[in-house]
Amino acid sequence: MTGWWQAIGANWHHERPQALPNPMRVMTVAVAPISPHTRTMQLVAWNLVGGKDLLIRTTHVEGEIAKTLESSGDGTRDADRKMLDLCTDLGKIADDADRFFRVPVPAVQVTWQRFTTQAHAASSDCIRVVHDGDPPNKTTPPPAPSGSSISPAKAVEEITSAFETFGAVIGQMLAIMPPNQGNTPEHH
């Protein structure tokens, strides 16, 4: 008898190896809940790798839109051009947010996604309003084709709703973030 035979055992041929698990069977895995501290650190990291930049850009566009709308009573072409630029920026922010990492806190991600959806719609409709109100020389780029025109009041309502949702995002983040971390922009 060789050493291998002694190491394996005389009953090798008589014993069946234990069956492998059936790969078609679904395995359930217990997932431990994520601690509040871990969620906070994930949110801090999200902010540090670019989330904060999205928040700051959004806060800036919100403030500039508010200033432009307050001073646009004279209906000048400058106000229209400024609104066109700001609404285009809002759409770019929503696009960038959609391509960026998800917010690591599920409840905040739901609100953030609602904001980006609203921002896309508000941006598109705002651009349409500016384009539709442009004189016949059409100095603004044409918006995406669509059915009926949008009233300025409806576009402003959509912009307002988007920024109200953005305010809710900031509120949710501030409730989670450690105080004095400076990881979210101040939002009014």
Side-chain angles (χ1 to χ4, degrees):
M1 199 182 298
T2 66
W4 286 107
W5 185 255
Q6 289 173 346
I8 295 174
N11 294 326
W12 171 259
H13 297 286
H14 301 292
E15 293 179 15
R16 292 186 163 219
Q18 188 169 358
L20 296 174
N22 181 350
M24 301 308 287
R25 191 169 163 195
V26 177
M27 293 180 56
T28 57
V29 177
V31 177
I34 296 173
S35 73
H37 174 74
T38 299
R39 281 280 187 226
T40 299
M41 292 301 99
Q42 289 174 333
L43 189 56
V44 168
W46 183 87
N47 276 285
L48 292 175
V49 298
K52 183 177 179 180
D53 293 335
L54 289 168
L55 299 175
I56 290 170
R57 286 172 52 204
T58 304
T59 300
H60 173 75
V61 168
E62 179 184 25
E64 290 298 310
I65 286 176
K67 282 194 277 187
T68 303
L69 289 175
E70 288 170 7
S71 66
S72 69
D74 57 3
T76 65
R77 181 174 293 248
D78 289 341
D80 286 348
R81 173 55 65 189
K82 181 83 171 163
M83 279 303 291
L84 179 64
D85 291 345
L86 292 168
C87 290
T88 300
D89 289 347
L90 180 60
K92 287 177 184 174
I93 291 167
D95 287 341
D96 291 348
D98 286 343
R99 286 189 299 268
F100 193 63
F101 300 109
R102 294 174 57 84
V103 178
V105 179
V108 181
Q109 174 59 33
V110 168
T111 310
W112 180 246
Q113 186 60 53
R114 186 174 347 119
F115 161 70
T116 63
T117 300
Q118 291 172 324
H120 278 295
S123 170
S124 175
D125 287 347
C126 174
I127 291 168
R128 275 183 47 205
V129 165
V130 173
H131 184 265
D132 290 350
D134 201 16
N137 63 7
K138 298 290 182 201
T139 58
T140 60
S146 147
S148 61
S149 65
I150 301 289
S151 74
K154 172 124 172 69
V156 169
E157 182 181 309
E158 288 177 345
I159 291 168
T160 301
S161 292
F163 285 123
E164 285 173 354
T165 302
F166 178 69
V169 168
I170 297 297
Q172 288 174 310
M173 287 185 175
L174 290 174
I176 295 168
M177 300 288 277
N180 302 320
Q181 291 296 308
N183 291 313
T184 57
E186 186 174 326
H187 183 75
H188 298 287

